[in-house]
Amino acid sequence: LPLDEPPIAPRLDAESSALIIYTSGTTGRPKGALLDHGNVLAQARGAIQAWRWTETDHLVHALPLFHVPGLAMGLTASLLTGCQMTMIGFEPGRVVAELETGGTLFFGVPAMYQRLCDHLETHPADLSRVRLFVSGSAPLPPELFHRCQRLLGQPPLERYGITEGGIVVSNPYEGPRRPGRVGYPFPGVELRLGAGDEIQLKGGQVFSGYWGNPTATAETFEDGWFKTGDLGEIGADGSLAIRGRIKELIISGGFNVYPREVEMVLEAHPGVAEVAVVGLPSESWGEEVTAFIVPAGEAPSAEELITFAQERLAKFKCPRSVRFLSELPRNAMGKVQRSLLK
């Protein structure tokens, strides 16, 4: 164009492509989720409404921008509300300093909250100005939930989200927050449990398909419902709990074992800092329930942990072997890479 001609403004509508965000790929090859402008706006508006987000807030933003929590929710919702936002790389001391001097919102993953609590144990701070801490992208262990409540001054609000739809479920802003449960659908989101208790979604937040992968797109939708691949359980109060991913389901001796159920039991042992449960090949059982443990201080014995589980779980769900690690392999979003453990 000649220099004196105005630029051509793109003609965009709600269905115009906005982002290609790749799935975390913890159980397989990452896929590019194609989100349109309507998806992104619906995700941001859902967070604004559910979490009472206003222009008077100040978000201390330490999540990466290559994934939906940091980009489509944290950044976009801040721009929509016109609130103050401070973007920093995650470092516990820096985060605490920003929160002490006026931050009202902080969103993180459990690994971040673990490090924040470690810092606050030796460097207490007044975080009374913060009105909301949100945790997601990986399960928040009950012990860490209670530790945060003690050191942050309030329990974190746990939520559930997916690359293909952003944040879709959240514990209530007002009301009890229960460890181990992620709450209720966001405004505009429909949720149901399909075959095998798979979480399925519908709504303006949910994407229309994978970039350049029509086969995967066709496989992931059923009568207009997006099949997340995550396993859930809906309680008597209507709240959702995540039980793991279908691809993580362990079939041992013909019985189904949900790794998250076993992990929650082992997390209650005082000698366990972190745990991930996977199924490893076994000639006798098909798959053998195996627990990878990061100890808290001096490591308990494998026999002690197996006995601890047997006192609280059906025998077929209990780990048959325990392996100790200095840390669990995680991706940049803090999710355990179970494929590496296998």
Side-chain angles (χ1 to χ4, degrees):
L1 288 173
L3 293 178
D4 58 348
E5 289 288 333
I8 298 174
R11 294 181 175 86
L12 300 176
D13 56 29
E15 296 181 354
S16 298
S17 299
L19 303 169
I20 299 175
I21 304 285
Y22 275 80
T23 59
S24 27
T26 55
T27 59
R29 185 178 178 84
K31 299 184 291 289
L34 182 59
L35 301 174
D36 60 35
H37 285 271
N39 297 146
V40 176
L41 285 172
Q43 292 167 18
R45 287 169 176 159
I48 290 169
Q49 182 178 342
W51 298 337
R52 315 293 196 268
W53 206 329
T54 74
E55 62 187 17
T56 62
D57 276 309
H58 176 185
L59 173 64
V60 178
H61 195 331
L63 287 172
L65 295 180
F66 56 74
H67 222 264
V68 285
L71 181 57
M73 187 263 292
L75 178 59
T76 306
S78 294
L79 294 173
L80 282 177
T81 59
C83 76
Q84 181 177 349
M85 178 178 60
T86 301
M87 297 185 67
I88 58 174
F90 180 77
E91 192 283 312
R94 176 77 188 280
V95 170
V96 169
E98 293 289 346
L99 292 175
E100 277 192 299
T101 56
T104 64
L105 300 171
F106 179 77
F107 307 146
V109 302
M112 288 180 173
Y113 283 107
Q114 192 75 262
R115 291 183 60 194
L116 276 179
C117 288
D118 290 344
H119 177 84
L120 290 168
E121 289 280 12
T122 54
H123 300 82
D126 179 9
L127 302 181
S128 58
R129 295 185 184 184
V130 184
R131 68 173 185 84
L132 182 62
F133 290 95
V134 177
S135 178
S137 296
L140 185 71
E143 177 59 32
L144 181 55
F145 175 93
H146 295 298
R147 191 183 184 207
C148 287
Q149 185 170 16
R150 174 171 60 88
L151 293 168
L152 301 177
Q154 61 179 285
L157 183 151
E158 191 169 8
R159 52 78 176 170
Y160 163 69
I162 52 171
T163 304
E164 297 89 344
I167 311 306
V168 289
V169 175
S170 170
N171 271 289
Y173 178 73
E174 297 170 344
R177 301 170 189 173
R178 297 167 54 195
R181 308 202 74 82
V182 292
Y184 308 88
F186 253 20
V189 174
E190 295 181 68
L191 183 150
R192 73 180 186 184
L193 297 184
D197 292 332
E198 179 182 24
I199 299 169
Q200 299 184 359
L201 302 168
K202 184 187 289 187
Q205 300 196 180
V206 181
F207 82 144
S208 58
Y210 295 107
W211 171 255
N213 197 337
T215 301
T217 299
E219 290 174 348
T220 201
F221 281 93
E222 179 180 301
D223 299 327
W225 289 83
F226 169 61
K227 301 187 292 183
T228 64
D230 290 322
L231 300 167
E233 173 263 314
I234 296 177
D237 63 350
S239 67
L240 178 70
I242 308 300
R243 295 303 182 218
R245 289 191 60 77
I246 289 176
K247 291 181 180 179
E248 296 170 0
L249 178 69
I250 302 167
I251 302 178
S252 183
F255 292 99
N256 290 349
V257 180
Y258 298 99
R260 186 64 196 139
E261 182 182 6
V262 183
E263 290 166 358
M264 290 181 69
V265 167
L266 293 173
E267 284 167 353
H269 190 286
V272 174
E274 293 183 295
V275 57
V277 171
V278 301
L280 297 184
S282 166
E283 291 185 3
S284 300
W285 303 98
E287 287 185 294
E288 182 175 273
V289 180
T290 305
F292 289 84
I293 302 289
V294 177
E298 185 176 350
S301 67
E303 292 74 17
E304 179 183 345
L305 291 173
I306 292 172
T307 300
F308 184 84
Q310 289 174 340
E311 292 171 349
R312 294 160 175 82
L313 290 169
K315 188 174 181 179
F316 72 88
K317 299 179 180 180
C318 296
R320 295 184 176 275
S321 63
V322 175
R323 306 186 185 188
F324 294 94
L325 299 174
S326 58
E327 62 180 15
L328 297 177
R330 297 181 181 273
N331 65 14
M333 285 302 296
K335 295 183 179 182
V336 175
Q337 296 179 291
R338 296 175 190 269
S339 58
L340 296 182
L341 292 176
K342 287 189 177 186

